[in-house]
Amino acid sequence: MLKFPIGQKIFAGFFVLIILSASFLLISFPSLSKINILSSMVLPLSQEINILQGYLEKTKQLETKTDLYLTIKSEDSREELIALLKQTNEFVNEVRQKENTGQLKEISGLVLTLNNSIETLVNYIDKNESAYKINLQIIAVNNLFENFGKMEAILQQQRLKRLEIITNQQKAITDSLSNMFLFIETSIVFMGFLASYSLSRLITRNLSKLNKGTREIAAGNFQTRINISSQDEIGQLADSFNAMAEDLRKKTVSKEYVDNIIRSMAESLIILNPDLTINNVNKATSLLLGYREDELIGKPIESILSSEAAALEEMDLKNLIKDAKMINYEINYLSKDLKIIPVLFKATVMNDRDNNTLCVICTATDITKRKQIEEKLKEAMEIKSKFTSMVSHELRTPLAAIKTGINIILDELAGTINNEQRDFLNISRNNVDRLVRLINGILDFQKLESGKMQLKKTQNDINEIVNEVYIAMRSIAERKCLKITIELENNLPQINMDRDGIAQVISNLISNAVKFTEKGEVKIITKKTADSVCVEVSDTGIGIKEDNIAKLFSAFMRLQEDKYKTIDGTGLGLVISKEIVEKHGGKIWVESEYGKGSSFYFTLPL
């Protein structure tokens, strides 16, 4: 038996139980057939008894109605008797169509004869026949009633006796089957218990050996071997286990070797006990903090942390042990000479097989140099920000003076100018306006980067703002011979928003639409959605390539109309617009098909 696989052994046990169950069915089959035969005989007997009962009820009704008629001889009693005779004839004919055999046929004939005799008696009475003739007919009817009663009683007794015999035979067969079933089921249970006990003993004995060997390996005893001689799956598992143990013995390094690796690590390594005291450190930790190893072992972890981080660190480590998660953040170590050392700190929990905490492994990388570089970069960014702001503000004053001077000359307040001079002055004024827009864009972007842009929100009508911007921008579109239209949905609700900020967003979108459209039209649409108001600015311009859409709202992003021409601008308009819309809790996006135009949308929540 040991040479068979476990699956075949279990199958053999179940197969024996199946054979026993099948044997019981084969033995009980003849008895079940007899029960079926007897059961098939019960139904006809029951039906015959019901038919006899029906004849008896009809005959009793006839006898009662006949006596009533002979007593009072009223018209009502006569009609009731005639109706009952008709019903009885219909009942007999209906029964004869279903059951027309033997004694049932004989008794149905007797009922029909009785009906005819009663009808004859009624005719005698109706025709006023002689009393002698009527009395003879009454006697004949009474004799028929008496004969029917005797025949019905005999037939009823015969059927009931036959039914009792069949029932007793069925009970005897059922009792025999019950005894046989109890015996065979007891045998099946006993055989199943023996088979299960034998298989479980065979399997669990070998599994216990495997379990013991696994515990020995877990304890570090790689010399452990399991001796199981069976050729089934457990025997094969034992062979694989022995091969694994030998492989572990060859490949597993000693504890001393692992300790040497830890001590040679370049990163600081600290191993904490579950109570957050230091259990072990490596050489890198000693060098970083200026302690000897024996000075650190046994100390609480907070003793090497800066005072502002010690409590937080201890709390995080306790939560780490509780939740078995890994933490990773920047923190400050405190050296022996009280020097603060910024480190990138990582900690993770080591648990045993029962999920009990064995230790907490903490590593730290000195990031002092990185912090110094970050401080220098921060200072450089602040200097750049201040410089940009200063230059932009300082440029505004001379530009304003230049623009004023140009306007005075163009208005001929300082004397008459010719057309050629006017053209040059217009070019100069346009470039001054462009430079002012560039400076304003840079200043707005600077405010966004520094977080200094403040929104002054009040209740405003978005249609009024769109209309104001439309009037201001219409001349720019008309100079390019572009059609510009607005479609404003009526009765839009008031929105809590920064009026100037939203006007700047709409102005930026219309300006871009005009800038990138050579012919066709620009359209501004407002409409209400479920929980917001949406503004759409669409054009029939050059459109946007699909690979540029993702970069469209990036700082200093400028699109090329074609490979030879770049559209003027700082590339900050859409970045500023996006920031303003999102500060309102809305969103902004674009839909475009290259060569056919673009549609920019933004929403403001109600």
Side-chain angles (χ1 to χ4, degrees):
M1 183 177 181
L2 295 177
K3 295 182 179 179
F4 293 109
I6 293 175
Q8 292 184 8
K9 295 173 185 176
I10 295 173
F11 174 76
F14 280 110
F15 186 73
V16 170
L17 297 179
I18 292 170
I19 292 297
L20 289 173
S21 300
S23 300
F24 168 71
L25 291 176
L26 290 174
I27 293 171
S28 61
F29 184 75
S31 299
L32 292 173
S33 299
K34 289 180 181 179
I35 291 176
N36 287 334
I37 292 171
L38 291 172
S39 297
S40 64
M41 297 170 63
V42 170
L43 183 60
L45 281 172
S46 177
Q47 291 174 347
E48 287 185 5
I49 291 172
N50 289 334
I51 292 171
L52 288 172
Q53 189 66 29
Y55 280 141
L56 178 62
E57 290 177 1
K58 292 294 182 183
T59 305
K60 285 182 178 179
Q61 291 175 3
L62 283 172
E63 187 174 7
T64 301
K65 294 294 182 182
T66 302
D67 289 344
L68 179 64
Y69 173 65
L70 292 175
T71 302
I72 62 177
K73 293 182 182 177
S74 67
E75 185 62 29
D76 290 340
S77 63
R78 178 184 178 282
E79 289 180 358
E80 289 178 1
L81 180 59
I82 295 300
L84 182 58
L85 288 171
K86 184 177 179 182
Q87 291 176 8
T88 303
N89 283 331
E90 291 175 353
F91 176 75
V92 172
N93 292 329
E94 183 180 348
V95 171
R96 277 189 157 188
Q97 290 177 1
K98 297 178 181 179
E99 298 288 343
N100 194 23
T101 58
Q103 293 173 322
L104 285 179
K105 183 177 182 181
E106 183 179 346
I107 198 168
S108 65
L110 182 60
V111 173
L112 290 176
T113 302
L114 179 61
N115 274 15
N116 293 333
S117 298
I118 293 172
E119 287 179 358
T120 302
L121 176 61
V122 172
N123 289 332
Y124 284 172
I125 294 172
D126 289 344
K127 295 178 180 179
N128 295 319
E129 295 285 348
S130 64
Y132 174 77
K133 196 172 182 179
I134 291 173
N135 286 333
L136 285 178
Q137 190 62 28
I138 290 173
I139 293 171
V141 169
N142 288 334
N143 288 335
L144 287 172
F145 277 125
E146 185 177 351
N147 290 337
F148 175 82
K150 292 178 182 179
M151 183 179 293
E152 186 274 333
I154 292 171
L155 292 178
Q156 194 86 293
Q157 187 176 6
Q158 289 177 351
R159 268 48 177 186
L160 290 173
K161 187 174 182 180
R162 178 62 179 159
L163 187 61
E164 182 180 0
I165 293 171
I166 293 173
T167 303
N168 290 334
Q169 289 176 348
Q170 284 183 328
K171 184 177 182 303
I173 295 172
T174 303
D175 291 342
S176 175
L177 280 175
S178 297
N179 294 332
M180 187 188 306
F181 176 78
L182 180 62
F183 172 75
I184 292 178
E185 286 301 311
T186 303
S187 300
I188 290 174
V189 171
F190 180 72
M191 293 294 291
F193 174 77
L194 285 180
S196 300
Y197 178 77
S198 300
L199 284 172
S200 63
R201 285 283 297 169
L202 178 65
I203 295 171
T204 56
R205 183 171 62 248
N206 292 333
L207 288 177
S208 297
K209 292 181 181 180
L210 280 169
N211 183 48
K212 183 179 178 181
T214 303
R215 291 181 179 274
E216 291 289 332
I217 290 290
N221 183 10
F222 300 121
Q223 303 296 331
T224 300
R225 299 293 182 271
I226 299 175
N227 184 20
I228 296 178
S229 58
S230 65
Q231 301 300 313
D232 54 20
E233 289 87 348
I234 294 180
Q236 296 170 11
L237 182 60
D239 292 340
S240 300
F241 181 90
N242 292 333
M244 178 195 70
E246 179 64 22
D247 190 55
L248 284 173
R249 187 188 66 79
K250 292 178 180 178
K251 294 181 178 179
T252 303
V253 294
S254 65
K255 183 178 183 299
E256 181 181 359
Y257 182 74
V258 174
D259 289 342
N260 287 334
I261 292 176
I262 291 174
R263 285 183 170 81
S264 301
M265 287 177 60
E267 278 190 329
S268 167
L269 175 67
I270 300 175
I271 298 177
L272 302 178
N273 296 315
D275 62 355
L276 302 183
T277 57
I278 298 174
N279 177 276
N280 200 356
V281 298
N282 67 346
K283 186 177 180 181
T285 305
S286 298
L287 293 174
L288 180 66
L289 299 176
Y291 289 97
R292 297 194 312 273
E293 286 186 34
D294 58 336
E295 290 179 316
L296 290 172
I297 293 174
K299 282 190 173 185
I301 182 64
E302 59 263 28
S303 65
I304 64 168
L305 300 175
S306 63
S307 57
E308 69 274 11
L312 175 64
E313 178 69 11
E314 183 180 7
M315 181 183 67
D316 285 350
L317 287 172
K318 287 180 179 178
N319 291 333
L320 168 70
I321 294 173
K322 179 181 177 182
D323 301 332
K325 295 180 180 177
M326 188 174 78
I327 56 176
N328 182 356
Y329 50 67
E330 294 181 7
I331 203 164
N332 292 328
Y333 272 0
L334 189 65
S335 68
K336 188 175 182 179
D337 57 1
L338 303 182
K339 178 185 176 183
I340 293 178
I341 305 169
V343 295
L344 182 61
F345 184 84
K346 299 178 184 178
T348 186
V349 176
M350 179 182 290
N351 292 333
D352 61 13
R353 68 182 65 187
D354 297 322
N355 208 31
N356 297 317
T357 301
L358 296 176
C359 63
V360 181
I361 301 172
C362 307
T363 61
T365 304
D366 186 358
I367 56 172
T368 302
K369 292 184 178 179
R370 194 189 82 181
K371 283 290 183 182
Q372 293 171 350
I373 294 171
E374 287 177 354
E375 286 297 324
K376 291 180 179 179
L377 286 173
K378 186 177 179 181
E379 291 176 4
M381 291 297 293
E382 289 179 356
I383 292 172
K384 184 206 79 169
S385 176
K386 291 178 181 179
F387 176 76
T388 303
S389 179
M390 180 192 70
V391 170
S392 299
H393 281 290
E394 291 299 323
L395 285 174
R396 279 181 167 182
T397 302
L399 284 174
I402 293 170
K403 184 175 180 181
T404 302
I406 293 173
N407 286 334
I408 290 173
I409 296 173
L410 281 172
D411 292 339
E412 297 185 345
L413 297 176
T416 305
I417 58 174
N418 58 39
N419 290 334
E420 187 177 0
Q421 291 171 333
R422 185 178 298 278
D423 290 339
F424 281 116
L425 288 170
N426 280 324
I427 293 172
S428 299
R429 184 171 63 177
N430 290 338
N431 279 280
V432 170
D433 289 341
R434 178 169 171 267
L435 189 55
V436 169
R437 288 195 298 272
L438 291 175
I439 292 172
N440 289 337
I442 292 172
L443 286 175
D444 288 339
F445 182 69
Q446 183 65 32
K447 288 179 183 179
L448 290 176
E449 276 196 324
S450 61
K452 294 180 180 179
M453 176 175 280
Q454 300 297 325
L455 299 180
K456 298 178 182 179
K457 293 184 180 180
T458 56
Q459 293 293 326
N460 285 284
D461 186 343
I462 189 68
N463 283 344
E464 287 184 5
I465 299 173
V466 170
N467 197 52
E468 288 175 6
V469 177
Y470 160 74
I471 293 171
M473 302 291 292
R474 184 167 55 188
S475 59
I476 299 175
E478 289 173 351
R479 281 201 295 267
K480 290 187 68 175
C481 298
L482 296 176
K483 180 182 178 183
I484 181 168
T485 58
I486 55 174
E487 294 180 8
L488 307 179
E489 183 174 319
N490 294 327
N491 301 319
L492 289 180
Q494 295 274 315
I495 301 174
N496 189 31
M497 60 180 168
D498 183 301
R499 187 182 184 93
D500 292 338
I502 296 303
Q504 184 178 356
V505 173
I506 298 171
S507 178
N508 285 342
L509 296 180
I510 296 174
S511 176
N512 284 346
V514 172
K515 188 187 303 181
F516 289 96
T517 304
E518 294 301 323
K519 60 180 180 178
E521 67 173 337
V522 176
K523 183 182 293 185
I524 306 101
I525 301 172
T526 62
K527 57 187 175 182
K528 183 179 178 297
T529 63
D531 55 359
S532 64
V533 169
C534 178
V535 178
E536 175 188 352
V537 178
S538 60
D539 61 65
T540 57
I542 62 173
I544 305 167
K545 294 180 180 178
E546 188 175 352
D547 55 351
N548 283 331
I549 289 179
K551 302 180 288 184
L552 198 60
F553 292 95
S554 302
F556 303 105
M557 175 63 185
R558 295 195 301 167
L559 300 181
Q560 289 188 335
E561 186 179 5
D562 52 46
K563 61 182 179 180
Y564 302 109
K565 181 180 178 182
T566 301
I567 302 298
D568 292 335
T570 61
L572 295 175
L574 289 178
V575 179
I576 295 170
S577 298
K578 182 175 184 290
E579 185 70 18
I580 293 172
V581 170
E582 290 181 349
K583 279 183 176 291
H584 282 80
K587 60 180 182 178
I588 185 169
W589 71 98
V590 62
E591 296 175 0
S592 180
E593 185 176 351
Y594 186 66
K596 293 187 177 181
S598 305
S599 294
F600 282 82
Y601 304 85
F602 72 89
T603 60
L604 298 173
L606 296 178

